[in-house]
Amino acid sequence: MVVLLQMTVEIQEVKMITLETGVAITIISYLVFVTSYVVSLRKDLNNLQKALIKFEENVSSIKDLREDFVRLETKIELLFNLSKGE
């Protein structure tokens, strides 16, 4: 009887260790998943930052082109007025 009780206790201990190991493996798997997701998000953020820098450069170029166009338009108007004799 004592041997049977001792074996039952040992079986319960093995079940607890197995359960604890399963929980630990699940937590580690979750942490690996979250870590890989965070790394992916960081890469996406870096790509977005690069795209934003390029966008800002393009906006700056467009503003420069617009200023150049306004100056050119002014010069064309002056030349047109000069050609008309004004």
Side-chain angles (χ1 to χ4, degrees), residues 71-85:
R71 283 194 293 273
L72 182 61
E73 186 179 34
T74 304
K75 288 179 183 179
I76 290 172
E77 285 178 9
L78 287 172
L79 287 172
F80 181 72
N81 290 338
L82 285 174
S83 69
K84 288 173 63 178

Side-chain angles (χ1 to χ4, degrees), residues 23-70:
V23 170
I25 290 171
T26 302
I27 291 171
I28 290 170
S29 299
Y30 180 73
L31 290 175
V32 168
F33 170 75
V34 169
T35 302
S36 66
Y37 186 70
V38 168
V39 168
S40 175
L41 287 177
R42 280 192 57 91
K43 287 180 184 177
D44 290 344
L45 179 61
N46 286 338
N47 289 337
L48 284 173
Q49 287 174 333
K50 290 175 186 176
L52 180 60
I53 290 169
K54 287 187 184 238
F55 178 76
E56 289 172 345
E57 290 171 355
N58 289 339
V59 167
S60 177
S61 296
I62 290 171
K63 287 180 180 177
D64 292 344
L65 286 173
R66 185 178 177 138
E67 291 171 2
D68 290 345
F69 180 75
V70 168

